[in-house]
Amino acid sequence: MKTIVTVLGLASMIALAACDSKQENTVENAYENQADALDNQAANMESLADNLSGSAENAAENAADVLENKADATRNAGEAAAEAVEKNEKK
């Protein structure tokens, strides 16, 4: 399921990239790369949680959730930064 969401996200980014400026794309890509790194860390933490039990498993799952939330926040910040660049370019 996560792969499907990732593929759909990338496809939509490519479609949107066609109408964005180079600077806007650069800003958004930097944030997206950071978010991808956080998602990878979350996936690794979830894999680790699969090998644990009890409170250790819960702690690892909670840490993975925190990383996923940070990834989402980073993506949102990237979109906001890209929109700010776009607004500045239109002035």
Side-chain angles (χ1 to χ4, degrees), residues 3-61:
T3 304
I4 293 170
V5 172
T6 303
V7 169
L8 290 174
L10 288 174
S12 64
M13 283 181 54
I14 290 169
L16 289 174
C19 59
D20 292 341
S21 73
K22 184 176 180 180
Q23 184 179 6
E24 188 177 353
N25 286 335
T26 300
V27 168
E28 196 163 4
N29 286 340
Y31 281 91
E32 188 65 31
N33 290 340
Q34 290 174 341
D36 287 344
L38 289 167
D39 275 335
N40 289 338
Q41 291 174 359
N44 290 338
M45 188 62 68
E46 287 171 346
S47 294
L48 175 67
D50 291 341
N51 296 321
L52 301 173
S53 62
S55 61
E57 180 181 16
N58 291 337
E61 288 175 355

